[in-house]
């Protein structure tokens, strides 16, 4: 399997399910944040530690940790970019579409069964990691890069 751009029907289906299951509330208004109902057991980090990263070393490390963690927990993912092309791809792919870093829009990595993934919020400037196996696999390293989580969902 290779990286596939989602067709219109699958794109609408995946995003509709994401809206419903995560109560997705896109908004630039801080009173509407965090933007999703963060799943039980999730952890959310501020991305502000990446602000003083002129060589992008911290960003590169964070991306590598998350990709390694996702690949250890899943064989296939969706890479969702709100209102833009989104993808389905194998975690064994050499180059992944998108990034967990929300570069100007909501970016989501998500397993097809929606059990684990990441949610990058561009205006809150946070990254939520959810799914027990993924949180367990990457929390320590993400905390080394980004600092202690802002919140954990019980």
């Amino acid at each position: 399997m290779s990286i596939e751009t989602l067709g219109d029907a699958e794109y609408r289906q995946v995003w509709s399910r994401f809206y419903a299951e995560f109560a997705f509330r896109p908004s630039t208004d801080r009173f509407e944040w965090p933007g999703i109902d963060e799943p039980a057991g999730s952890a959310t980090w501020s991305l502000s530690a990446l602000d003083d990263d002129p060589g992008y070393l911290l960003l590169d490390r964070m991306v590598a940790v998350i990709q390694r963690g996702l690949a250890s927990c899943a064989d296939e993912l969706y890479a969702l970019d709100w209102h833009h092309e989104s993808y389905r791809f194998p975690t064994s792919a050499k180059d992944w579409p998108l990034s967990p870093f929300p570069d100007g829009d909501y970016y989501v990595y998500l397993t097809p069964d929606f059990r684990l993934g990441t949610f990058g919020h561009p205006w809150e400037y946070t990254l939520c990691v959810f799914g027990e196996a993924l949180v367990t696999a990457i929390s320590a390293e993400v905390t080394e890069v980004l600092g202690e989580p802002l919140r954990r969902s019980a």
Side-chain angles (χ1 to χ4, degrees), residues 61-148:
R61 182 170 174 215
M62 181 196 79
V63 169
V65 167
I66 291 167
Q67 288 181 346
R68 198 169 45 250
L70 284 164
S72 74
C73 296
D75 295 326
E76 183 179 38
L77 294 171
Y78 288 118
L80 306 177
D81 181 355
W82 192 57
H83 288 299
H84 298 282
E85 280 191 339
S86 296
Y87 309 88
R88 175 195 296 263
F89 68 100
T91 57
S92 61
K94 182 177 185 264
D95 296 312
W96 287 25
L98 306 180
S99 167
F101 180 82
D103 190 15
D105 222 333
Y106 298 99
Y107 285 177
V108 182
Y109 280 136
L110 188 63
T111 54
D113 61 6
F114 286 42
R115 69 183 164 83
L116 60 82
T118 64
F119 173 75
H121 194 303
W123 297 287
E124 186 185 31
Y125 206 49
T126 57
L127 180 72
C128 176
V129 176
F130 57 91
E132 182 180 348
L134 181 59
V135 172
T136 298
I138 69 174
S139 281
E141 283 187 273
V142 172
T143 297
E144 285 178 19
V145 175
L146 299 177
E148 289 298 319

Side-chain angles (χ1 to χ4, degrees), residues 21-62:
E21 290 192 22
F22 289 85
F24 180 42
R25 303 169 301 281
S27 177
T28 58
D29 184 344
R30 66 183 181 92
F31 296 106
E32 297 290 325
W33 297 344
I36 60 171
D37 288 351
E38 295 172 333
S42 65
T44 301
W45 286 266
S46 168
L47 296 169
S48 61
L50 302 177
D51 288 346
D52 188 24
D53 186 24
Y56 302 109
L57 298 176
L58 291 175
L59 175 62
D60 291 346
R61 182 170 174 215
M62 181 196 79

